[in-house]
Amino acid sequence: MHRLPGIPGINPYGPFSTPGLNHLVHQLQQQQAAAVAHAEEIDENLEPDDPKVELVDKALWEEFHRNGTEMVITKTGRRMFPGFKTKVSGLNPKAKYCMVMDIRPKDDCRYKYHNSCWMVAGKADPELPRRFYIHPDSPATGEQWMNRPSISFHKCKLTNNIADPHVYGHAILNSMHKYQPRFHIVRCSDTSQIYSRQWRTTCFPEMEFIAVTAYQNEKITQLKINHNPFAKGFRDTGCGRREKR
Amino acid sequence: MHRLPGIPGINPYGPFSTPGLNHLVHQLQQQQAAAVAHAEEIDENLEPDDPKVELVDKALWEEFHRNGTEMVITKTGRRMFPGFKTKVSGLNPKAKYCMVMDIRPKDDCRYKYHNSCWMVAGKADPELPRRFYIHPDSPATGEQWMNRPSISFHKCKLTNNIADPHVYGHAILNSMHKYQPRFHIVRCSDTSQIYSRQWRTTCFPEMEFIAVTAYQNEKITQLKINHNPFAKGFRDTGCGRREKR
DNA sequence: CAATTTTTCACCTACGTGACAATG
DNA sequence: GTCATTGTCACGTAGGTGAAAAAT
């Protein structure tokens, strides 16, 4: 079961070693990488697709948005709530896709919360390194992505720690700045191809938020408490033991 | 950013759309799949490897083994303890690998525990469908596999439920039968290729165990309690509140 | 009956919440 | 002083333990 090492382009024990194919493959030797990439490109585009993206929990996002969504950022990283979850249809079931998200500054302002209102408080701090977060199940077939109840990015946490050790899983944001999450579909069979392929980007304006280290708007706090199961301990439920100060 | 649908083999907007390459690729159209597979095959074997596999927590496994390891199986699935964890070296850093495990019957006997001893109690029950468990991070490069502290299969639980709904994540075993876990390295760039490639199998005899629905040997119970953090509540720690009946 | 399996439970691990006090 | 940030905490979710009782 041992293979001959160090002889590029020839593999006498391979399952497809017919002379004709070997000849053809030799012809392509110099352009091999490009040809393979091209063949894959074509293969991936033999059949069309027409992706539709839907935001999960859209009504909840809108309720937050009406009050001015805030997201807490911490040194160790904090999840978003509501979560970043999409539902995708219209993919080609056989083709492979990578799902990607990022969180971009919405403008170049710094904000402050004053008299129960968010207002501009100057120029934005220097932009932090921009990161893309590749969904850990990438790549997967269109069928697999469409069959799941949602595509969730809950493992990507928000932090303000520039020296964050989980650099590849967290989004680094500036506090008191406004952000817009984005969702990208990239049709390719391997994550290494992501940055050389077409990106199809979807943006939900109701996901806009301001990053904070502590909640400013009490209405937002209450919405979080009332809807996030992990904050159930702070709910005001008749039998409750917690009261407002 | 829209692509022309329904025109197979032609993609006017692709990054590699030079006429010469298009011609070559058209030549290969019928053998395309085979050629791509062949090119990948060659690519994957350009450089040699010589994998070494080590069992994590070997000393603990050996301590269990000296007393006759038992693993509880339940309807909903139970983890193994000690866990099935390996550490791999000697892979080719650039090549891609899939990591696979399975759990095979060790013999064709049924056992019973009698007078503090395991003894043969007849012929084995009919063998259950044999499953392979592919590590969920497969495929990944040799570098990625070698860099992690261990390759763990803790998500593969043991069950005796033939109609188990998590069919692809659980191992279905017969109670009172003896088993041997195995570890397999398969060099390939996609899980779909696993069953057509060479398997390199490692077997640690100290991992042998008998599946049970309730522990038989009290020494095994104590080893589990003393070493599994989730069973800490049953430890006999001076301040302990639990005593033997 | 005896042996094995299933169910339920208290007690853990692990970690996601906002409140609040301390810090800068 | 003011405001923003950090650390700690009680209280949740989620799920992995063997014991013990109940069921087969």
Coordinates of all heavy atoms in Angstrom, one line a residue, chain A residues 48-95:
Chain A
P48 N -27.5 26.5 -12.8 CA -27.6 27.9 -12.2 C -28.2 27.8 -10.8 O -28.5 26.7 -10.3 CB -28.7 28.5 -13.1 CG -29.5 27.3 -13.6 CD -28.5 26.1 -13.7
D49 N -28.1 28.9 -10.2 CA -28.8 29.0 -8.9 C -29.4 30.4 -8.8 O -29.1 31.3 -9.6 CB -27.9 28.7 -7.7 CG -26.7 29.6 -7.7 OD1 -26.7 30.7 -8.3 OD2 -25.7 29.3 -6.9
D50 N -30.2 30.7 -7.8 CA -30.8 32.0 -7.6 C -31.1 32.1 -6.1 O -32.3 32.0 -5.7 CB -32.0 32.2 -8.5 CG -32.6 33.6 -8.4 OD1 -31.8 34.5 -8.0 OD2 -33.7 33.8 -8.7
P51 N -30.1 32.4 -5.3 CA -30.3 32.3 -3.8 C -31.2 33.4 -3.3 O -31.1 34.5 -3.8 CB -28.8 32.5 -3.3 CG -27.9 32.3 -4.4 CD -28.7 32.7 -5.7
K52 N -32.0 33.0 -2.4 CA -32.9 34.0 -1.6 C -32.5 33.8 -0.2 O -32.3 32.7 0.3 CB -34.3 33.6 -1.8 CG -34.8 33.6 -3.2 CD -35.5 34.9 -3.6 CE -36.1 34.9 -5.0 NZ -35.0 35.0 -6.1
V53 N -32.3 34.9 0.5 CA -31.9 34.9 1.9 C -32.9 35.6 2.7 O -33.4 36.7 2.4 CB -30.5 35.7 2.1 CG1 -30.1 35.6 3.5 CG2 -29.4 35.1 1.2
E54 N -33.2 35.0 3.9 CA -34.3 35.5 4.7 C -33.6 35.6 6.1 O -32.8 34.7 6.5 CB -35.4 34.5 4.7 CG -36.4 34.4 5.8 CD -37.3 33.2 5.5 OE1 -37.4 32.7 4.4 OE2 -37.9 32.8 6.5
L55 N -34.0 36.6 6.9 CA -33.5 36.8 8.2 C -34.4 36.1 9.2 O -35.6 36.3 9.2 CB -33.4 38.3 8.5 CG -33.0 38.7 10.0 CD1 -31.6 38.2 10.3 CD2 -33.1 40.2 10.2
V56 N -33.8 35.2 10.0 CA -34.6 34.5 11.0 C -34.9 35.4 12.2 O -34.1 36.3 12.5 CB -33.8 33.2 11.5 CG1 -34.5 32.6 12.7 CG2 -33.6 32.3 10.4
D57 N -36.1 35.3 12.7 CA -36.5 36.2 13.8 C -36.6 37.7 13.4 O -36.2 38.6 14.2 CB -35.6 36.1 15.0 CG -35.8 34.8 15.8 OD1 -36.9 34.3 15.8 OD2 -34.9 34.3 16.4
K58 N -37.0 37.9 12.2 CA -37.1 39.2 11.6 C -37.9 40.2 12.5 O -37.5 41.3 12.7 CB -37.7 39.2 10.2 CG -37.5 40.4 9.4 CD -38.2 40.2 8.0 CE -38.1 41.5 7.1 NZ -36.7 41.7 6.7
A59 N -39.1 39.7 13.0 CA -39.9 40.6 13.8 C -39.2 41.0 15.0 O -39.3 42.2 15.4 CB -41.2 39.8 14.1
L60 N -38.4 40.1 15.7 CA -37.7 40.5 16.9 C -36.6 41.5 16.6 O -36.5 42.5 17.3 CB -37.1 39.2 17.5 CG -36.4 39.4 18.8 CD1 -37.4 39.9 19.9 CD2 -35.8 38.0 19.3
W61 N -35.9 41.3 15.5 CA -34.9 42.2 15.1 C -35.5 43.6 14.9 O -35.0 44.6 15.3 CB -34.2 41.8 13.8 CG -33.1 40.9 14.0 CD1 -33.0 39.5 13.9 CD2 -31.7 41.2 14.4 NE1 -31.8 39.0 14.1 CE2 -31.0 40.0 14.5 CE3 -31.1 42.4 14.7 CZ2 -29.6 40.0 14.8 CZ3 -29.8 42.4 15.1 CH2 -29.0 41.2 15.1
E62 N -36.7 43.6 14.2 CA -37.4 44.9 14.0 C -37.8 45.6 15.3 O -37.7 46.8 15.4 CB -38.6 44.7 13.1 CG -38.2 44.4 11.6 CD -39.3 43.9 10.7 OE1 -40.3 43.5 11.3 OE2 -39.1 43.9 9.5
E63 N -38.2 44.8 16.2 CA -38.6 45.4 17.5 C -37.4 46.1 18.2 O -37.5 47.2 18.7 CB -39.2 44.3 18.4 CG -39.9 44.9 19.6 CD -40.7 43.8 20.5 OE1 -40.7 42.7 20.0 OE2 -41.2 44.2 21.5
F64 N -36.3 45.4 18.2 CA -35.1 46.0 18.7 C -34.7 47.2 17.9 O -34.4 48.3 18.5 CB -33.9 45.0 18.7 CG -33.8 44.1 19.9 CD1 -34.5 42.9 19.9 CD2 -33.1 44.5 21.0 CE1 -34.4 42.0 21.0 CE2 -33.0 43.7 22.1 CZ -33.7 42.4 22.1
H65 N -34.8 47.1 16.6 CA -34.4 48.2 15.7 C -35.2 49.5 16.0 O -34.6 50.6 16.0 CB -34.5 47.8 14.2 CG -33.9 48.8 13.3 ND1 -32.7 49.4 13.5 CD2 -34.4 49.2 12.1 CE1 -32.5 50.2 12.4 NE2 -33.5 50.1 11.6
R66 N -36.5 49.3 16.2 CA -37.3 50.5 16.5 C -36.8 51.2 17.7 O -37.1 52.4 17.8 CB -38.8 50.0 16.7 CG -39.5 49.8 15.4 CD -41.0 49.7 15.6 NE -41.4 48.5 16.4 CZ -41.6 47.3 16.0 NH1 -41.4 47.0 14.7 NH2 -41.9 46.3 16.7
N67 N -36.2 50.5 18.7 CA -35.7 51.1 19.9 C -34.3 51.5 19.9 O -33.7 52.1 20.8 CB -36.0 50.2 21.1 CG -37.5 50.0 21.3 OD1 -38.1 50.9 22.0 ND2 -38.1 49.0 20.8
G68 N -33.6 51.1 18.8 CA -32.2 51.4 18.7 C -31.3 50.3 19.3 O -30.9 50.3 20.4
T69 N -31.0 49.3 18.4 CA -30.4 48.0 19.0 C -29.0 48.4 19.5 O -28.2 49.1 18.9 CB -30.2 47.0 17.9 OG1 -31.5 46.8 17.2 CG2 -29.8 45.7 18.4
E70 N -28.7 47.8 20.7 CA -27.4 47.8 21.3 C -26.9 46.4 21.5 O -27.6 45.5 21.8 CB -27.4 48.5 22.7 CG -27.9 50.0 22.6 CD -28.2 50.6 24.0 OE1 -27.5 50.1 25.0 OE2 -29.0 51.5 24.1
M71 N -25.6 46.2 21.3 CA -24.9 44.9 21.5 C -23.8 45.1 22.5 O -22.9 46.0 22.2 CB -24.4 44.3 20.2 CG -25.5 44.0 19.2 SD -26.4 42.5 19.7 CE -27.6 42.5 18.3
V72 N -23.8 44.3 23.5 CA -22.7 44.4 24.5 C -21.4 43.8 23.9 O -21.5 42.7 23.3 CB -23.1 43.8 25.8 CG1 -21.8 43.6 26.7 CG2 -24.1 44.6 26.5
I73 N -20.3 44.5 24.1 CA -19.0 43.9 23.7 C -18.2 43.7 25.0 O -18.3 44.6 25.9 CB -18.2 44.7 22.7 CG1 -18.0 46.1 23.2 CG2 -19.0 44.7 21.4 CD1 -17.3 47.0 22.2
T74 N -17.5 42.7 25.2 CA -16.6 42.4 26.4 C -15.3 42.0 26.0 O -15.0 41.6 24.8 CB -17.2 41.4 27.3 OG1 -17.2 40.1 26.7 CG2 -18.7 41.7 27.7
K75 N -14.4 42.0 26.9 CA -13.0 41.6 26.7 C -12.9 40.1 26.2 O -12.2 39.8 25.3 CB -12.2 41.7 28.0 CG -10.7 41.9 27.8 CD -10.1 42.3 29.1 CE -8.6 42.2 29.1 NZ -8.0 42.5 30.4
T76 N -13.8 39.3 26.8 CA -13.7 37.8 26.5 C -14.6 37.5 25.3 O -14.6 36.3 24.8 CB -14.1 37.0 27.7 OG1 -15.4 37.4 28.2 CG2 -13.1 37.1 28.8
G77 N -15.4 38.4 24.9 CA -16.4 38.1 23.8 C -17.8 37.9 24.2 O -18.0 37.1 25.2
R78 N -18.7 38.5 23.6 CA -20.1 38.3 24.0 C -20.9 38.0 22.7 O -20.7 38.6 21.7 CB -20.7 39.7 24.6 CG -21.9 39.5 25.4 CD -21.7 39.0 26.8 NE -22.6 39.6 27.8 CZ -22.5 39.4 29.1 NH1 -21.4 38.8 29.6 NH2 -23.4 39.9 29.9
R79 N -21.9 37.1 22.9 CA -22.8 36.7 21.8 C -23.6 37.9 21.4 O -23.9 38.8 22.2 CB -23.7 35.6 22.1 CG -23.1 34.2 22.1 CD -24.2 33.2 22.2 NE -23.7 31.9 22.4 CZ -24.5 30.8 22.6 NH1 -25.9 31.0 22.6 NH2 -24.1 29.6 22.7
M80 N -24.1 37.9 20.1 CA -25.2 38.8 19.8 C -26.5 38.3 20.2 O -26.7 37.1 20.2 CB -25.2 39.0 18.2 CG -24.0 39.7 17.6 SD -24.1 39.6 15.8 CE -25.5 40.7 15.5
F81 N -27.4 39.2 20.6 CA -28.8 38.8 20.8 C -29.7 40.0 20.3 O -29.5 41.1 20.8 CB -29.2 38.5 22.2 CG -30.6 37.9 22.3 CD1 -30.8 36.6 22.1 CD2 -31.6 38.8 22.5 CE1 -32.1 36.1 22.2 CE2 -32.9 38.3 22.5 CZ -33.2 37.0 22.3
P82 N -30.6 39.7 19.4 CA -30.9 38.5 18.7 C -29.7 37.9 18.0 O -28.8 38.6 17.6 CB -32.0 38.8 17.8 CG -32.6 40.1 18.2 CD -31.5 40.8 18.9
G83 N -29.8 36.6 17.7 CA -28.6 36.0 17.0 C -28.7 36.3 15.5 O -29.7 36.6 14.9
F84 N -27.5 36.1 14.9 CA -27.3 36.3 13.5 C -27.7 35.0 12.8 O -26.8 34.1 12.8 CB -25.9 36.7 13.2 CG -25.7 37.2 11.8 CD1 -24.7 38.1 11.4 CD2 -26.6 36.9 10.7 CE1 -24.5 38.5 10.2 CE2 -26.4 37.4 9.4 CZ -25.3 38.2 9.2
K85 N -28.9 34.9 12.3 CA -29.4 33.6 11.7 C -30.1 33.9 10.4 O -31.0 34.7 10.4 CB -30.3 32.9 12.7 CG -29.8 32.3 13.9 CD -30.8 31.5 14.7 CE -30.4 31.2 16.1 NZ -31.5 30.6 16.9
T86 N -29.7 33.2 9.4 CA -30.4 33.3 8.1 C -31.0 32.0 7.7 O -30.6 30.9 8.2 CB -29.4 33.8 7.0 OG1 -28.4 32.9 6.9 CG2 -28.9 35.2 7.4
K87 N -31.9 32.0 6.7 CA -32.5 30.9 6.1 C -32.3 31.1 4.6 O -32.7 32.2 4.1 CB -33.9 30.7 6.5 CG -34.6 29.5 6.0 CD -34.8 28.5 7.1 CE -35.6 27.3 6.5 NZ -34.7 26.4 5.6
V88 N -31.7 30.1 3.9 CA -31.4 30.3 2.5 C -32.2 29.3 1.6 O -32.3 28.2 2.0 CB -29.9 30.1 2.3 CG1 -29.5 30.2 0.8 CG2 -29.1 31.2 3.1
S89 N -32.7 29.8 0.5 CA -33.3 28.9 -0.5 C -32.8 29.3 -1.9 O -32.1 30.3 -2.0 CB -34.8 29.1 -0.4 OG -35.2 30.4 -0.7
G90 N -33.1 28.5 -2.9 CA -32.7 28.8 -4.2 C -31.3 28.5 -4.6 O -30.8 28.8 -5.6
L91 N -30.6 27.8 -3.7 CA -29.2 27.4 -4.0 C -29.3 26.2 -5.0 O -30.4 25.5 -5.0 CB -28.5 26.9 -2.7 CG -28.3 28.0 -1.6 CD1 -27.6 27.3 -0.4 CD2 -27.5 29.1 -2.2
N92 N -28.2 25.9 -5.6 CA -28.2 24.7 -6.4 C -27.9 23.5 -5.4 O -26.9 23.5 -4.7 CB -27.1 24.8 -7.4 CG -27.0 23.5 -8.3 OD1 -26.7 22.4 -7.8 ND2 -27.3 23.7 -9.6
P93 N -28.8 22.5 -5.4 CA -28.6 21.5 -4.3 C -27.3 20.8 -4.4 O -26.7 20.4 -3.3 CB -29.8 20.5 -4.6 CG -30.7 21.3 -5.5 CD -29.9 22.3 -6.2
K94 N -26.7 20.6 -5.6 CA -25.5 19.8 -5.7 C -24.2 20.6 -5.5 O -23.2 20.1 -5.1 CB -25.4 19.1 -7.1 CG -26.6 18.2 -7.4 CD -26.5 16.9 -6.6 CE -27.6 16.0 -7.1 NZ -28.0 15.0 -6.0
A95 N -24.3 21.9 -5.8 CA -23.1 22.7 -5.8 C -22.7 23.0 -4.3 O -23.5 22.9 -3.4 CB -23.4 24.1 -6.5

